[in-house]
Amino acid sequence: MQTDTLRLPKSLYHTVLETPFGKLYVAYAEKYLYLLSGDEETLLLDVYRLYGRAPVRNDAMSARMIADILTSVLGDKAYRGPLMFSTITPFQRQVLQKLQEIPRGEVRSYGWLANRLEHPRASRAVGNALAWNPFPYIIPCHRVIRADGRLGKYSGGGENMKARLLAYEGVSIGQGKDGTWRVQVGQGS
């Protein structure tokens, strides 16, 4: 994961990419990705909140960046381009790096991730770190679920988007009697 810290370019842009599970909204500048979201309004508000300006719509993103994003989201390769993190704590960086160890088509619990970080009581802190993941499609926080099998929240567009992403990756998803999405038995770890 190649990352840089806050650096404001002259212009920030945004575009939309079509995927099998819905639209993916991308904020970018030069060769850097700044934010990804499954919701355009959320993307625009977050860019303004983090960078103090609204991004300009520009669909002229480089073909290489588009290909790298889609290969990462739809395939099995990690995104290799530079990512711009506005603010990130050392713990958040550890969470996001460890998260990338979860294979495509598999899920793990927040507790599993906390244990892997050698902070076994930090499940809630792990969840908070994932809630601020600026790149939820290419740093796959959708692969982290609650210990009881419920999907939990997803910063990339809510629980329904999380369910669509996991189903796209081959994880068996169903709805419980309470209407919440759940991973089917035998799918989690």
Side-chain angles (χ1 to χ4, degrees):
M1 174 172 41
Q2 180 182 353
T3 64
D4 280 316
T5 54
L6 184 61
R7 173 175 103 32
L8 286 177
K10 283 196 257 185
S11 298
L12 279 168
Y13 303 107
H14 74 99
T15 191
V16 61
L17 303 177
E18 296 290 337
T19 71
F21 44 80
K23 293 181 180 187
L24 177 59
Y25 299 92
V26 182
Y28 70 99
E30 301 157 359
K31 62 182 180 178
Y32 289 91
L33 288 184
Y34 278 73
L35 288 171
L36 298 176
S37 180
D39 179 76
E40 186 173 28
E41 185 176 338
T42 299
L43 178 91
L44 297 175
L45 290 172
D46 284 348
V47 168
Y48 190 81
R49 178 181 55 82
L50 293 169
Y51 302 108
R53 62 175 89 156
V56 176
R57 178 71 186 250
N58 183 343
D59 295 329
M61 175 184 260
S62 79
R64 181 181 176 112
M65 283 179 78
I66 293 169
D68 286 348
I69 291 168
L70 293 177
T71 297
S72 174
V73 171
L74 304 176
D76 225 1
K77 290 185 178 181
Y79 184 79
R80 297 290 181 209
L83 304 172
M84 184 62 64
F85 287 94
S86 59
T87 59
I88 187 167
T89 68
F91 180 74
Q92 288 169 314
R93 183 177 300 276
Q94 288 176 340
V95 170
L96 297 179
Q97 287 175 331
K98 191 60 72 175
L99 170 67
Q100 294 183 76
E101 293 178 9
I102 303 171
R104 180 180 183 80
E106 294 183 24
V107 294
R108 302 290 188 271
S109 70
Y110 295 98
W112 177 90
L113 196 50
N115 283 327
R116 296 290 293 207
L117 292 164
E118 298 180 6
H119 296 287
R121 300 181 70 171
S123 296
R124 190 170 299 236
V126 164
N128 287 334
L130 296 180
W132 292 102
N133 177 2
F135 307 103
Y137 292 81
I138 59 177
I139 300 177
C141 56
H142 61 277
R143 296 179 187 154
V144 181
I145 63 169
R146 294 170 45 128
D148 64 5
R150 288 187 286 166
L151 298 190
K153 296 181 180 181
Y154 180 57
S155 65
E159 190 179 72
N160 288 336
M161 178 59 80
K162 190 172 188 173
R164 286 198 304 265
L165 285 167
L166 289 172
Y168 180 81
E169 291 186 2
V171 176
S172 183
I173 304 292
Q175 277 190 305
K177 291 180 182 179
D178 60 359
T180 60
W181 290 102
R182 295 177 180 275
V183 171
Q184 300 299 308
V185 177
Q187 291 284 308
S189 291

